[in-house]
């Protein structure tokens, strides 16, 4: 598609696919969430906090472990990168000093991949952490932005659309600067107080393209943010 035209399924450039969140679909996990964006579906399960930290981790803080399970096949380099990105992102939004010398595991199972997989996984992880009662500085929402050869930006890209992109950005924004947990004061973080928590880019992207992605992504993240807060408040009103 060219800029301004309709995408497959009739979506506009800024239009997101239908998204949904199911609370605690896994009974044995301490918290879990099934997050769907169109046909991209990720199941996130949280186990912990459990006593002790892994070797090399700071025992004065809580440790996070992220395990990515693809829908089929073995885990590869791409999945390892997803694990690292998820760990860094979740570490930045969790209050790691509340449960020192503990480890919390976040297991991601890919149920369906029709594009924008990493943002879907981040949204699923955030919801699962809330359902598990893990103390957090704030919620976070993720969005995928794609840049077409003509320079136009499309949001929440499908698998077929990703084949046409010259570049893309996966962006994570803070849901709110207000702490999610009232037991500990908000820890100020210049990056996440206002603006981006995580930014992953791939391909040839000019500065104008990048800032266009941020502008479009930020506007779209507000819609996901409203949905996430409404969904989570239905189940954990005392927590948010």
């Amino acid at each position: 598609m060219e800029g301004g035209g309709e995408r497959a399924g009739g979506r506009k450039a800024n239009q997101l696919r239908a998204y949904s969140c199911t609370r605690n679909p896994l009974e044995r996990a301490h918290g879990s969430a099934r997050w769907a964006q169109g046909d991209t579906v990720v199941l996130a399960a949280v186990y912990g906090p459990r006593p002790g930290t892994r070797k090399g981790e700071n025992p004065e803080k809580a440790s996070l472990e992220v395990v990515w399970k693809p829908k089929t096949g073995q885990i590869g380099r791409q999945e390892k990168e997803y694990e690292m990105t998820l760990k860094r992102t979740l570490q930045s939004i969790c209050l790691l000093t509340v449960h020192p010398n503990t480890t919390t595991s976040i297991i991601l199972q890919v149920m369906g991949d029709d594009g924008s997989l990493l943002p879907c996984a981040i949204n699923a992880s955030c919801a699962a952490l809330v359902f598990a009662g893990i103390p957090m500085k704030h919620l976070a929402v993720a969005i995928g932005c794609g840049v077409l050869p003509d320079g136009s930006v499309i949001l929440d890209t499908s698998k077929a659309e990703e084949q046409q992109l010259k570049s893309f950005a996966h962006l994570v924004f803070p849901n709110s600067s207000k702490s999610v947990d009232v037991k500990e004061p908000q820890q100020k973080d210049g990056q996440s107080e206002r603006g981006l928590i995580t930014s992953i880019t791939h391909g040839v992207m000019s500065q104008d393209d990048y800032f266009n992605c941020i502008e479009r992504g930020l506007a779209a993240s507000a819609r996901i943010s409203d949905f996430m807060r409404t969904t989570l408040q239905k189940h954990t009103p005392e927590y948010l």
Side-chain angles (χ1 to χ4, degrees):
M1 64 162 281
E2 295 296 323
E6 283 196 354
R7 302 155 68 181
R11 282 197 293 154
K12 301 294 185 183
N14 290 342
Q15 189 174 352
L16 308 179
R17 293 172 293 182
Y19 39 88
S20 64
C21 178
T22 304
R23 175 182 183 259
N24 290 336
L26 301 176
E27 294 183 358
R28 295 187 179 182
H30 293 108
S32 61
R34 178 187 183 275
W35 188 279
Q37 296 175 203
D39 291 328
T40 298
V41 184
V42 176
L43 187 62
V46 175
Y47 298 90
R50 304 185 307 273
T53 56
R54 301 179 67 183
K55 186 177 180 181
E57 300 281 356
N58 183 358
E60 295 183 0
K61 292 185 177 183
S63 172
L64 298 182
E65 174 189 41
V66 176
V67 178
W68 185 282
K69 295 186 176 183
K71 184 178 180 180
T72 59
Q74 300 296 316
I75 187 170
R77 185 172 129 188
Q78 180 69 77
E79 289 77 16
K80 287 291 185 182
E81 290 178 0
Y82 285 164
E83 287 180 343
M84 290 189 294
T85 300
L86 274 157
K87 182 174 181 177
R88 288 196 301 266
T89 300
L90 299 179
Q91 282 178 329
S92 73
I93 65 175
C94 290
L95 289 169
L96 302 179
T97 56
V98 175
H99 299 295
N101 199 27
T102 62
T103 298
T104 296
S105 299
I106 303 98
I107 314 297
L108 286 306
Q109 175 65 61
V110 178
M111 309 297 291
D113 179 11
D114 187 31
S116 298
L117 181 59
L118 181 59
C120 185
I122 292 172
N123 292 332
S125 300
C126 186
L129 286 168
V130 172
F131 293 143
I134 303 300
M136 299 167 70
K137 303 173 189 177
H138 49 71
L139 301 174
V141 292
I143 185 75
C145 306
V147 182
L148 292 166
D150 66 356
S152 58
V153 173
I154 56 176
L155 302 180
D156 190 22
T157 52
S158 68
K159 199 79 169 176
E161 289 172 334
E162 288 176 351
Q163 305 303 314
Q164 305 171 21
L165 302 176
K166 72 170 184 176
S167 57
F168 66 81
H170 290 156
L171 308 173
V172 185
F173 298 94
N175 180 294
S176 169
S177 60
K178 183 179 180 181
S179 177
V180 179
D181 189 86
V182 296
K183 296 177 183 176
E184 182 165 318
Q186 169 75 20
Q187 296 180 5
K188 291 190 176 180
D189 182 329
Q191 185 183 22
S192 61
E193 188 75 14
R194 290 189 179 188
L196 285 169
I197 296 173
T198 299
S199 172
I200 303 293
T201 61
H202 180 79
V204 179
M205 182 177 293
S206 68
Q207 188 176 58
D208 287 343
D209 287 341
Y210 181 63
F211 285 117
N212 194 13
C213 284
I214 292 178
E215 182 181 0
R216 301 286 186 90
L218 182 60
S221 73
R223 284 172 266 162
I224 302 176
S225 177
D226 289 343
F227 168 78
M228 182 178 286
R229 292 193 70 86
T230 300
T231 300
L232 301 186
Q233 283 172 338
K234 288 179 182 178
H235 304 293
T236 54
E238 75 287 351
Y239 191 66
L240 296 177

